[in-house]
Amino acid sequence: MTQLTFPDGFLWGAATAGHQIEGGNVNSDWWPREVAPGSDIPEPSGDAADSYHRYREDIALLAASGLNTYRFSLEWSRIEPAEGMVSRAALDHYRRVIDCCHEFGVQPAITIYHFTTPRWFADDGGWRNPASVERFARFTEIVLPLLDTASHVFTINEPNILAMIFAGKEGNQQIQAGALPDPDPVVTGHIIAAHRRAVDLVRTTGRPVGWPVAPQQFYTDPGDTRAAEVMRAYAYPRETVFLEASRGDDFVGVQAYTRTRITADGPLPAPDDVEQTLTGWEYYPPAIAEAARLAHDVTGLPVFVSENGIATADDQRRIDYTRGALAALHAEVARGLPLIGYLHWSLLDNYEWGSYRPTFGLIGWDRETFERHPKPSLAWLGEVAKANAVDTE
Ligand code: BGC
């Protein structure tokens, strides 16, 4: 058994997102689609994990395990329910969440916006509307006072996935393994412009700011030069452009779960003969380390792993996967990668964009009573955090 020790001051934590855990997010663009008769979405988010009310219990469990950082998002549709109308009560709520983190000695890492928008924003063209840039800048200004004690601020979660799936040409749909739709270049331009505006605004708080990109770890068969060309062209609008847009930020976030093989004919879904997770993705723990290296090579920035995890009903497999991911990350650190921290996705089982079936959580909960059931993986990761080291066995 080898102990792999991480750099001093390394942040260890877990991440969530508003719509996936809070519940009752009725004013978001997702809600009406979830409840529409004949919806293409299998299951509505409903009460989710009711973390809007139970955040204290969730943060207490995170802290008790030994983790020291909680990444969560501010729900735009609660804070600005109608254009220009600010809910003081919603801002107060997130202030209480932040205060609660501090009370338990946990650093808040805050995502300004994680996939869901207010209905009014979506109804008026969403990210296709040029006004989206100004609208996001205004929202960022509204939440600036909440960011003053954030360890790190993430502007827009996974802008590349947002451009492809959530605001892409094909509209919202479930995240699929394999082929991803073409991003709409207009949407991409607006998202990047919105990020740049937000970075300038967040800089006035003095808190480190960046955004988390989700590289898909495209790979080709060795020596297949045609496939390599296809891969570069495929990857550019889907991730490289967003990494390039991080240059000048304080850090770059990376989020990765799996890898995707590309041939001369394009990307392929996970093959049948490999272990697949509950999202149909290949079980491939080194993905996050490869993504972190790529993000650093493109941007030159320190890297923060702001999501990584596995959808599985087998918690021992979650531990195995995370140990493999951390060992691969450690090897990159040993090769000089500046790594800020590791945040596991997710603190809680949650609404995986259409279904509660893929369970990513370190903590489960009862669908009727919301009673929390911490899994062995939470205690395991907490021990890793306390030791600031992972063992390889
Ligand atoms: C997102 C999360 C999502 C997770 C697993 C990322 O794409 O930021 O919202 O639940 O990965 O699919």
Side-chain angles (χ1 to χ4, degrees):
M1 187 175 84
T2 316
Q3 282 274 110
L4 305 173
T5 300
F6 283 78
D8 286 346
F10 197 77
L11 297 181
W12 293 99
T16 61
H19 192 71
Q20 296 180 267
I21 59 159
E22 287 179 350
N25 191 13
V26 297
N27 206 25
S28 80
D29 59 332
W30 264 65
W31 186 276
R33 290 187 52 226
E34 291 168 13
V35 298
S39 173
D40 57 325
I41 297 179
E43 205 180 350
S45 56
D47 286 331
D50 191 29
S51 199
Y52 197 77
H53 302 106
R54 294 165 201 264
Y55 64 87
R56 191 179 173 81
E57 192 179 347
D58 297 335
I59 293 167
L61 286 170
L62 179 146
S65 75
L67 297 175
N68 57 41
T69 306
Y70 180 42
R71 173 177 174 237
F72 61 93
S73 73
L74 307 174
E75 192 55 48
W76 188 353
S77 63
R78 291 184 189 270
I79 294 173
E80 195 180 1
E83 182 160 19
M85 177 193 282
V86 176
S87 166
R88 303 278 157 216
L91 288 174
D92 285 353
H93 165 80
Y94 291 109
R95 172 54 71 191
R96 286 193 291 274
V97 175
I98 293 162
D99 289 347
C100 182
C101 288
H102 293 305
E103 186 187 328
F104 285 100
V106 168
Q107 305 234 34
I110 303 179
T111 310
I112 295 177
Y113 157 62
H114 194 123
F115 290 159
T116 42
T117 59
R119 286 190 198 196
W120 62 261
F121 179 92
D123 291 347
D124 195 27
W127 285 105
R128 268 180 213 88
N129 188 334
S132 56
V133 178
E134 199 47 47
R135 287 171 173 164
F136 185 69
R138 190 183 54 215
F139 175 58
T140 303
E141 277 190 273
I142 293 169
V143 302
L144 277 186
L146 291 174
L147 307 178
D148 57 347
T149 63
S151 76
H152 292 79
V153 178
F154 301 90
T155 59
I156 297 175
N157 182 66
E158 295 189 352
N160 58 321
I161 302 293
L162 177 69
M164 285 186 286
I165 294 176
F166 286 78
K169 282 182 183 152
E170 311 195 3
N172 295 340
Q173 54 181 245
Q174 262 193 281
I175 298 177
Q176 304 280 343
L180 290 161
D182 285 345
D184 181 331
V186 171
V187 165
T188 297
H190 293 156
I191 291 173
I192 290 176
H195 172 64
R196 299 268 37 110
R197 289 287 304 280
V199 167
D200 288 345
L201 289 164
V202 175
R203 284 244 161 91
T204 64
T205 67
R207 311 315 301 157
V209 59
W211 67 359
V213 180
Q216 299 301 302
Q217 295 323 109
F218 298 121
Y219 72 102
T220 59
D221 292 339
D224 189 343
T225 50
R226 176 77 192 108
E229 255 173 61
V230 169
M231 180 173 78
R232 268 191 299 279
Y234 191 79
Y236 191 81
R238 286 174 176 75
E239 55 191 48
T240 321
V241 69
F242 296 96
L243 288 171
E244 288 179 355
S246 304
R247 291 177 185 151
D249 294 354
D250 298 317
F251 66 92
V252 59
V254 285
Q255 313 190 157
Y257 295 85
T258 188
R259 64 176 178 175
T260 303
R261 179 167 168 236
I262 297 215
T263 66
D265 297 326
L268 299 176
D272 290 337
D273 60 350
V274 300
E275 179 178 343
Q276 293 183 14
T277 69
L278 289 175
T279 39
W281 300 343
E282 179 182 347
Y283 176 95
Y284 184 65
I288 190 65
E290 294 172 6
R293 169 54 65 187
L294 171 78
H296 177 66
D297 287 350
V298 175
T299 63
L301 295 172
V303 176
F304 195 166
V305 172
S306 37
E307 283 182 26
N308 170 249
I310 174 175
T312 179
D314 176 351
D315 198 52
Q316 182 55 48
R317 217 54 194 133
R318 189 180 331 280
I319 293 173
D320 298 341
Y321 177 92
T322 309
R323 179 186 277 120
L326 291 173
L329 279 168
H330 187 273
E332 288 300 340
V333 172
R335 282 194 278 272
L337 180 81
L339 192 63
I340 297 167
Y342 174 88
L343 307 181
H344 194 80
W345 184 268
S346 180
L347 180 63
L348 298 158
D349 286 341
N350 61 38
Y351 186 60
E352 178 57 20
W353 305 111
S355 168
Y356 283 101
R357 204 180 73 89
T359 41
F360 280 94
L362 299 168
I363 302 172
W365 43 277
D366 187 288
R367 290 289 297 272
E368 303 287 321
T369 64
F370 303 106
E371 191 189 332
R372 277 22 184 179
H373 301 293
K375 302 178 191 176
S377 53
L378 176 67
W380 177 82
L381 192 58
E383 288 305 319
V384 170
K386 284 189 257 182
N388 199 32
V390 67
D391 60 64
T392 50
E393 189 26 62

